[in-house]
Amino acid sequence: MTTELWPGKAYPLGATFDGYGTNFSVFSEVAEKVELCIFHTKTREERIPLPEVSGFVWHGYAPDIAPGTRYGFRVHGPYDPAKGLRCNPNKLLLDPYAKTVVGDLTWDEAIFGYRFGNPDGPMNTRNSARYVPRGVVTQPFFDWGNDAPPRTPMHETVIYEAHVKGLTMQHPAVPEHQRGTYSGLAHPAVVQHLIDLGVTAIELLPVHRFIHEHHLVEQGLKDYWGYNSIAYLAPHDAYASVEATRVVPEFKRMVRTLHEAGIEVILDVVYNHTAEGNHLGPTLSLKGFDNQAYYRLVDDDPRYYMDYTGTGNSMNMRHPHVLQLIMDSLRYWVTEMHVDGFRFDLASTLARELHDVDRLSTFFEVIQQDPVISQTKLIAEPWDIGEGGYQVGNFPPLWSEWNGRYRDTVRDFWRGVDETVPEFAARFTGSSDLYQSDRRRPSASINFVTAHDGFTLRDLVSYNDKHNEANGEDNRDGTDDNRSWNCGVEGETTDPEVLRLRARQQRNLLTTLLLSQGVPMLLGGDELGRTQGGNNNGYAQDNEISWFDWGAIDHDLLAWTQELIDLRNAHPVFRRKRFFEGRAVRGERFSDIAWLTPDGELMSDEHWESGFAKSLQIFLNGSGLASADERGSMVLDDSFLLLINAHYEELTFTLPAEGPQGPFAVVLDTDERRLRAPDDEREVIALGGERVVPARGMVLLRQQNGGAR
């Protein structure tokens, strides 16, 4: 069978089936000829030159090519690595716009543009086709039914960071063939856990098609996290419970199911680099289409790549077709896959137009004006490894940011570091010092104590040092700046006092996270007491080290987390739309927020400057919510008083004698296993009364509209 190609269209890029045939379109400014490669069987390849080129976009229409057809491209053009030119028609290239990708990568010399031992020599003429993945023409039609995005306001959002495979791989209620898949994540038992927990969004570690790095494969490991993308429009097919060619509808069913449960889907996306690596890396896709256009090359020696990511290359955000690829990818995931937002890995790299990070770079301008992407949740990881790459607080107004300063401060405060109270106060109240100057709101701060990269919550209170021996790098990988504290014993222990302290510290950290202003992000599994055995860099651990152990649940911790999220969701004073203003409220003595010493006195400059202080009271005035709703009416809530003691000894707190109107009822004490239900017999404390707070503990008290329940 010979495939006929008509001229077709230059847009949309990629392989687009219209019900009758498929249009193929790819960009290359340096190509002299581009061949479409159709695989009629696993090994029988038909090569057909694309008949038209329009503005460096090569295209053709195949009237008889239907969904399920496997394909790739070969690009004829200059090969001169010293000038940054790496075209090589012997390499089968993956379509940058492929919507489905199948087949594993085999690390063989044939996939490289050069012969081993001679990277600057003549091109490697070995055919790579049998060793590389292939694109698949994808059926675009899907019945979404009445699917609608939940559109949870950002200030009401609670994010759950999780891994598709790790979350479900060992869940006993999920059928074995669905474990570790999109279908497994959409299983009723898993969805019900998210509903019961109270989270409003799940942030998935990368699901763009990625490949496993060579050094990991050699050690029998895999790239578990997935930060090694090779196709920005294709869901990773290894997470499919069905045949890989049907991965797209399976992903869509997962999104539809989560939406029905009121849960948004946020994708962790890696547009800063690709899996092709540096000048010694393989030729798999972009490198073979147009190396100079897609990647940042060293200006005076373009054989080499600029590397702001630590992975070998960085995408060239100065080129319009790179911006188009990223925007087309984002728009596809929103319009066709119905996802609700994105977390951008190493987002500072995307802002580098020349060398410095430019917060008003073209990338952000394009996002700002896009009517689709600008309406989604946009979250930046505001750093990379390049000079000037740490940009917490410097992203544009549409964006929220992973607040690394929040993480570090909260960890330091609860492990007893001196001189942390002022910084703790700033982070607890939404980090106005970072975000208010450009009129952003507390929801610009994505607050987190733990994330996939680093210790789990349980390990944070159980280990002083990383234990990454399983990664095969002699424990050299992963950060040494953990800001953790093992509570007196390194690792697992049966000592009841140590275990009690660790449990209290976990409750302290969770309570701080979920009662802080801003958007809380919970690391998936922290609510269960998940451990990685002290491994703080599980990127290569696609096994029981990283997978959730549903048979070892800390039920007390789970209940505590659920109740805390319920408390946050019930009280807008913990999720204000605007920053505290420190203004008087209804003639009261206290403003919308008040800071008090353990003795019940308003904190003075001297108190704030006391380097050894580790304890304070925070009064949150529920009648002082300056965050009027969109209709202009004021929000009225209960008032709360937090007694916080990060000291190593218990401390007696004296409640303010005047200011709040009426006594307080105890809602929670982190020395206990559960929050106190509303119908419990409440511990009530009068104004000016006393309450003992245990060493490294928190107590939350409530006034119900000026009086205790």
XYZ file of all heavy atoms in Angstrom, residues 102 138 204 244 381 430 436 445 495 658-659 684:
83
model
N 3.689 5.794 21.778
C 3.817 4.411 22.226
C 5.227 3.915 21.945
O 5.927 4.438 21.073
C 2.787 3.487 21.551
C 1.365 3.903 21.884
C 2.991 3.468 20.036
N -4.386 10.182 16.737
C -5.301 10.058 17.870
C -6.715 10.447 17.475
O -6.934 11.450 16.778
C -4.818 10.955 19.027
O -3.489 10.557 19.377
C -5.721 10.822 20.238
N -0.933 16.776 39.879
C -0.271 15.549 39.470
C 1.156 15.815 39.031
O 1.410 16.718 38.214
C -1.039 14.888 38.330
C -2.464 14.433 38.644
C -3.132 13.886 37.382
C -2.474 13.388 39.752
N -2.041 1.163 25.068
C -1.453 2.499 25.117
C -2.065 3.457 24.104
O -2.147 4.663 24.353
C 0.055 2.404 24.907
N 6.965 27.328 40.016
C 8.076 27.000 40.899
C 9.109 28.090 40.614
O 9.802 28.041 39.593
C 8.653 25.620 40.595
C 9.788 25.257 41.541
C 10.460 23.935 41.192
O 10.596 23.633 39.981
O 10.859 23.214 42.115
N 0.273 35.143 55.037
C 0.145 35.187 53.587
C 1.303 35.813 52.843
O 1.223 36.000 51.635
N 2.211 41.697 48.186
C 1.232 42.783 48.245
C 1.621 43.989 47.404
O 0.753 44.706 46.904
C 1.021 43.220 49.698
C -0.178 44.143 49.896
C -0.472 44.390 51.354
O 0.415 44.287 52.209
N -1.722 44.701 51.674
N 0.429 33.004 47.323
C 1.365 32.151 48.055
C 0.837 30.729 48.137
O -0.191 30.474 48.778
C 1.579 32.702 49.472
O 2.453 31.872 50.202
N 10.490 4.156 71.072
C 10.461 4.998 72.268
C 9.151 5.782 72.306
O 8.894 6.619 71.432
C 11.650 5.962 72.242
C 11.785 6.760 73.527
O 10.756 7.233 74.038
O 12.926 6.928 74.001
N -8.903 42.053 77.891
C -9.900 42.862 77.211
C -9.573 42.907 75.734
O -8.468 42.583 75.309
C -9.935 44.276 77.785
C -8.603 44.995 77.760
C -8.678 46.371 78.386
O -9.671 46.656 79.074
O -7.748 47.155 78.175
N -10.539 43.296 74.973
C -10.375 43.325 73.515
C -11.384 42.403 72.871
O -12.397 42.861 72.342
N -13.884 25.900 78.294
C -14.104 27.324 78.086
C -13.162 28.105 78.987
O -13.010 27.795 80.172
C -15.570 27.710 78.368
C -15.771 29.215 78.220
C -16.500 26.962 77.423
